[in-house]
Amino acid sequence: MATTDRPAKAGLAVTPPMGWNSWNRFRCYELNEDVVVQTADAMVASGMRDAGYDYLVVDDCWQAHRRDGSGRLQSHPRRFASGMAALGEEIHARGLKFGMYLAPGRKTCAMIYDRYHGEALGSFGHEQEDLETLAGWGVDYLKYDWCRANRGGTGLSEGEAFRRMAEAIGRSDRPMVYSISEYGRTKPWTWAPEVAHLWRTTGDIAANWRSVMRIADRQHALAPFAGPGGWNDPDMLEVGNAGLSGIESRSHFMMWAMLAAPLMAGNDLRTMDEPTRQVLTNPGVLAISQDPLGRQGSRTARHRSFDVWHRDLADGTAVGILNRTNRAITARVAGGWLTTARGTRLARLGEGARNAWTGRPAPDGELTFSAHEMHLFRVRAA
């Protein structure tokens, strides 16, 4: 396990960070301070804060189109008229932590992909002052997004770019969780554990089952690189967003818990329905996500229609069985084993296994898997 006691990392993200990020739902031009404050209120009212979601991360497009006369970033004068320090105070007053977005090149991603007007909003050549600006605003979490940072004559490489900001964080008196995003281009799991608390392993997620499964499949064999203080990040949650069914949202959430992935909700919490709230706050699944041993799960077997996942826990094992197909399938639980309907053994549950979602003992007999459904069990150590 590659971890470090550098000041930028010490004592932070000992379990996978949990929170909410604005990008998946609000992207660029719908983002404003009212949305953020209302979301903070919703995190409290929904029980998400008390369930462990404590980071509220304001993603790209919070910036004014130009730096001030001293070269410092400013908040957008209309959409964030109260300023980011005031916004941070609102977030902290609700018992939450404040996260913000920067990019290491000359441009942010929204400047490239969303036609967000601006000049020199990236942190290239401004790393220390940008970090100091955020620290002065009370920021607790930094998302640092590659966004073609090697363009525009910077000459940056991924490792160099993300280490520069890590050094700036290390010089600051304000602790910050450091999340880096270069989409798995340079196998960051091999070098980022010495730099950041979490590192993206894939391209962006989308709110559809194909995207969720594509990303989950790419986490295979990455488990040895994650642990307390440093986590593989398969991107933010799409739970509750249009494009995923209720069952698919639940399976997505369970899979991210098995992966010891950061849990960053990306839906509109202000209008969240009760089934979505129940998924995001399910205590049994969250207990697996936040297990103190900090071991990432792995896919251990494939049996035609089923994928089998295991994750070591401090007091036992989590076992996840996923129906990858577009049709319902029946399995069986008997004699401490989960088998296919024809008797092929999928996973040993032993005695006393419990369904992580319901908290009830694993039943003997038939077990139906709807299309794209995962069943998750917690198996106590003997």
Side-chain angles (χ1 to χ4, degrees):
M1 189 66 56
T3 56
T4 178
D5 293 325
R6 290 178 54 186
K9 295 201 64 171
L12 296 175
V14 293
T15 58
M18 297 171 58
W20 178 87
N21 180 289
S22 60
W23 186 255
N24 283 0
R25 172 57 184 82
F26 296 99
R27 201 157 175 111
C28 187
Y29 297 103
E30 294 182 59
L31 179 65
N32 59 58
E33 64 184 49
D34 287 341
V35 165
V36 174
V37 173
Q38 291 165 11
T39 297
D41 287 337
M43 291 177 76
V44 176
S46 67
M48 287 186 66
R49 179 197 64 184
D50 293 342
Y53 294 86
D54 54 357
Y55 289 101
L56 194 162
V57 182
V58 179
D59 211 288
D60 204 356
C61 300
W62 60 266
Q63 310 92 330
H65 294 161
R66 291 175 178 80
R67 293 172 178 267
D68 69 14
S70 300
R72 293 188 175 269
L73 291 169
Q74 311 172 86
S75 62
H76 192 280
R78 177 175 53 82
R79 290 186 292 108
F80 290 92
S82 300
M84 305 314 284
L87 184 63
E89 289 176 2
E90 294 277 5
I91 291 168
H92 289 145
R94 289 157 175 79
L96 300 167
K97 298 173 183 176
F98 184 21
M100 289 189 69
Y101 169 101
L102 294 173
R106 298 190 187 278
K107 294 182 178 182
T108 72
C109 278
M111 294 172 68
I112 299 169
Y113 303 112
D114 291 72
R115 298 182 179 179
Y116 190 70
H117 298 294
E119 295 179 9
L121 300 185
S123 293
F124 180 70
H126 298 275
E127 290 87 356
Q128 190 65 43
E129 63 191 295
D130 286 356
L131 190 280
E132 290 172 357
T133 297
L134 267 58
W137 290 339
V139 168
D140 307 294
Y141 180 112
L142 171 61
K143 176 182 174 181
Y144 208 42
D145 198 359
W146 175 245
C147 303
R148 301 181 182 176
N150 57 334
R151 305 286 182 89
T154 66
L156 287 173
S157 66
E158 288 85 347
E160 176 191 6
F162 292 113
R163 284 185 174 89
R164 282 190 185 188
M165 185 56 77
E167 291 167 358
I169 294 172
R171 289 190 289 267
S172 173
D173 292 331
R174 186 167 188 86
M176 284 188 199
V177 168
Y178 184 33
S179 166
I180 67 173
S181 182
E182 54 78 83
Y183 333 118
R185 292 158 47 99
T186 64
K187 298 183 178 180
W189 48 89
T190 64
W191 55 264
E194 298 297 331
V195 175
H197 298 98
L198 51 151
W199 46 89
R200 281 276 298 281
T201 56
T202 68
D204 289 354
I205 195 170
N208 62 72
W209 184 247
R210 181 178 180 182
S211 175
V212 171
M213 291 311 301
R214 176 184 60 83
I215 288 175
D217 286 341
R218 291 191 63 181
Q219 308 316 300
H220 187 59
L222 299 188
F225 300 97
W231 307 98
N232 292 311
D233 179 7
D235 206 5
M236 298 171 286
L237 294 166
E238 292 282 10
V239 172
N241 286 332
L244 289 175
S245 70
I247 286 175
E248 289 170 345
S249 280
R250 188 171 70 189
S251 297
H252 169 28
F253 188 65
M254 290 179 176
M255 181 64 72
W256 262 230
M258 287 293 282
L259 291 171
L263 299 181
M264 288 290 166
N267 58 314
D268 190 344
L269 303 184
R270 306 170 306 167
T271 59
M272 176 171 58
D273 61 21
E274 180 60 16
T276 299
R277 190 197 72 82
Q278 289 181 6
V279 170
L280 289 171
T281 60
N282 182 270
V285 179
L286 288 177
I288 291 172
S289 163
Q290 299 294 297
D291 184 76
L293 186 62
R295 295 274 180 83
Q296 178 174 321
S298 297
R299 188 182 67 225
T300 54
R302 305 191 95 164
H303 294 272
R304 295 185 179 178
S305 302
F306 291 105
D307 280 359
V308 182
W309 290 75
H310 284 79
R311 179 178 173 185
D312 291 337
L313 305 175
D315 60 354
T317 307
V319 179
I321 314 294
L322 175 68
N323 172 15
R324 294 182 66 105
T325 74
N326 296 324
R327 58 187 174 86
I329 303 176
T330 299
R332 292 187 60 81
V333 179
W337 283 88
L338 179 68
T339 71
T340 67
R342 295 183 177 183
T344 300
R345 288 180 171 182
L346 297 172
R348 179 163 179 76
L349 302 182
E351 301 297 327
R354 289 186 172 270
N355 183 305
W357 176 257
T358 65
R360 295 193 290 267
D364 284 333
E366 287 191 352
L367 183 63
T368 299
F369 288 73
S370 298
H372 303 164
E373 183 172 19
M374 174 176 267
H375 283 281
L376 186 58
F377 299 95
R378 188 170 189 129
V379 181
R380 299 290 181 182

